[in-house]
Amino acid sequence: PQIIVVAVIVGVCVLAIWFIRVLDSAGRYQLLRRWPVIGGMLTRYYQYEFTVGAGTFLRGGQDLAGYCRYLARLDAGPLTSLGRRVVDGLAEGEALNAVLKDPLVPAGVTRLLSLGQSQAEFAQTVETYAKGLFADLQARMNKMLALIQPLLFLVIGVQIVVMYTRLLLPLYSNIGGSY
């Protein structure tokens, strides 16, 4: 019975991984963002990616709208969808702050945008904010790993105890009964 349970768990995991790999990155994000721990980490990662790219574009003399136009031209992905939504919103006459209200854009970036800084100051501030996002993402991942590692050790320990009781205890009882 234990082998069957392990086989079923492994089979389900293999099917889930295959299904997730078949999806494009935008579909993968839409599926995984609903998962309790993974979704938050994934969203935080894409926020970091958006902010780093925005800082690089701003430092290069481009504006935030230009960065979103660049994102809209990329291959399918979560940031590509964001770029298309922003470009479409700007084409309809919406303000940049309004169209940037998206889960993939950190609220801090839109707040920084509303400060009215010069292009160089804004670029520097966005890059500093991106470093903070990275540090936060790293801290969250370390916290998650600190939780998962003991759980895995516990699972391995339980498996060892189960194997011992199933294999060695009957052996010891047979040996002990022959003396």
Side-chain angles (χ1 to χ4, degrees), residues 8-23 27-28 31-32 35 38:
V8 168
I9 291 172
V10 168
V12 167
C13 289
V14 167
L15 284 174
I17 290 170
W18 175 80
F19 178 72
I20 289 170
R21 284 183 172 245
V22 168
L23 296 172
R28 223 173 304 156
L31 175 71
L32 294 176
W35 291 18
I38 296 172

Side-chain angles (χ1 to χ4, degrees), residues 2 9 13-14 37-38 40 43 51 53 83 87 100 106 114 126-127 133 153 156 161:
Q2 187 178 11
I9 291 172
C13 289
V14 167
V37 175
I38 296 172
T43 299
T51 308
V87 167
L100 284 177
S114 65
V126 168
E127 287 178 335
L133 281 176
F153 285 144
I156 292 169
V161 169

